[in-house]
Amino acid sequence: INFMPSRFKKRFNRYIFSVTSLIAISLLAYLLGWSSILTVKEIQIQGSNETSLLLSALNRQSIAPTVGEQLARVNVRSAERVLSELDWLKSVNVSRNWFNSKISIEVIERKAIARALTNQNNIVNFDSSGILFTPTSMNQKQNQDQLPLISSANNNQQDLSNVALLLQKVPSDLAYLITELDQISITKAGYLLMSTSINNRPVRINWGTVEQIDQKFAVLKALLNLPENKAISQVDLSQPDAPIVK
């Protein structure tokens, strides 16, 4: 008999706790999902002036945030994934701020270092990492004629992929080869011919194919360290074990 009140009290406390938790969860769900208290007050887009293009991409998937929408219902992960699939964007971050009820979309556009024509006569660009993308924003479409041209004798996608690989592999201490890039042409045999500048002097480099490209970079660096090669104008690295310098 002495234990009954204590046992009843424990059961009553558990009941009160369960009911209170259920009410709290229901209230929170209401605030997040239906209440006008936590709705989107502002949508901020940074890093690009192409607001309509970004929102159109989200609208096609029916996930574009709108002012007045419940903040909790904005699918920031899906929005970030969809925008990340746009090849002209280098990075995307979509976030939600519960304190100021703001949805922030932060993007970085790719910056072209060269251009090429596909076999369908469409213009594509390369960024400094060798990523191929279609110039889409107004910033990207400006000054296309001033970009170094990548030309291919075979006019095929594989040649463009090989150029992309070359650009991706350029080590940081040879990055000036890209900064000073004038042109890259690909022969019918698949040889990559680069026109660039070294020490403010025009230099033409025959990389051969992209095979053994890391070894070719190492050979080029070794050649450039030799005093007698300070004024070179041509380097043939198609056979990295037997380079030719002029």
Side-chain angles (χ1 to χ4, degrees):
I1 298 175
N2 293 332
F3 291 101
M4 288 298 292
S6 175
R7 190 177 302 170
F8 176 78
K9 186 177 181 180
K10 289 180 179 180
R11 290 180 178 176
F12 180 76
N13 287 341
R14 284 198 297 267
Y15 173 76
I16 292 298
F17 176 78
S18 299
V19 172
T20 303
S21 298
L22 181 60
I23 293 174
I25 292 172
S26 300
L27 180 60
L28 181 62
Y30 171 76
L31 287 173
L32 294 178
W34 288 275
S35 172
S36 60
I37 296 175
L38 292 175
T39 57
V40 177
K41 300 295 192 300
E42 181 184 358
I43 301 169
Q44 184 181 59
I45 297 178
Q46 296 177 304
S48 176
N49 293 324
E50 304 300 333
T51 300
S52 59
L53 287 178
L54 298 173
L55 293 179
S56 293
L58 297 177
N59 273 318
R60 285 193 293 271
Q61 302 297 323
S62 302
I63 56 173
T66 56
V67 172
E69 178 184 5
Q70 277 70 31
L71 200 59
R73 295 188 177 185
V74 178
N75 195 332
V76 293
R77 289 186 179 180
S78 293
E80 188 169 293
R81 175 184 54 79
V82 168
L83 294 180
S84 296
E85 292 174 355
L86 300 177
D87 67 352
W88 57 281
L89 295 180
K90 182 178 181 180
S91 67
V92 177
N93 181 58
V94 181
S95 61
R96 166 178 40 217
N97 191 312
W98 295 102
F99 296 101
N100 59 17
S101 300
K102 180 191 294 184
I103 298 297
S104 296
I105 301 175
E106 300 176 14
V107 303
I108 297 177
E109 296 183 3
R110 293 193 185 278
K111 187 175 181 180
I113 59 148
R115 63 188 172 93
L117 282 176
T118 67
N119 49 13
Q120 289 86 26
N121 287 325
N122 296 320
I123 294 178
V124 293
N125 285 175
F126 295 81
D127 70 3
S128 59
S129 299
I131 303 298
L132 278 167
F133 69 96
T134 302
T136 302
S137 71
M138 289 300 297
N139 287 336
Q140 292 170 340
K141 290 179 178 179
Q142 289 177 350
N143 304 319
Q144 282 289 313
D145 292 340
Q146 298 178 20
L147 289 173
L149 179 65
I150 311 297
S151 58
S152 167
N154 298 314
N155 196 29
N156 61 35
Q157 183 63 37
Q158 184 59 52
D159 283 347
L160 299 184
S161 298
N162 289 340
V163 172
L165 180 60
L166 171 68
L167 297 177
Q168 290 168 15
K169 291 283 190 174
V170 173
S172 58
D173 50 353
L174 290 177
Y176 57 84
L177 296 178
I178 296 178
T179 305
E180 302 297 327
L181 182 64
D182 180 57
Q183 182 179 353
I184 295 178
S185 58
I186 307 99
T187 68
K188 287 188 176 182
Y191 282 18
L192 305 177
L193 309 179
M194 174 186 285
S195 296
T196 185
S197 294
I198 300 176
N199 297 325
N200 295 319
R201 297 176 62 89
V203 176
R204 186 172 176 83
I205 303 173
N206 178 5
W207 295 101
T209 66
V210 290
E211 295 180 1
Q212 301 176 291
I213 194 62
D214 291 329
Q215 181 183 352
K216 293 172 183 178
F217 287 132
V219 171
L220 178 61
K221 286 190 284 186
L223 291 172
L224 294 177
N225 285 331
L226 297 175
E228 61 267 30
N229 291 331
K230 294 300 181 183
I232 61 174
S233 59
Q234 295 184 44
V235 184
D236 188 338
L237 297 169
S238 57
Q239 299 295 326
D241 295 329
I244 301 173
V245 177
K246 296 180 181 180

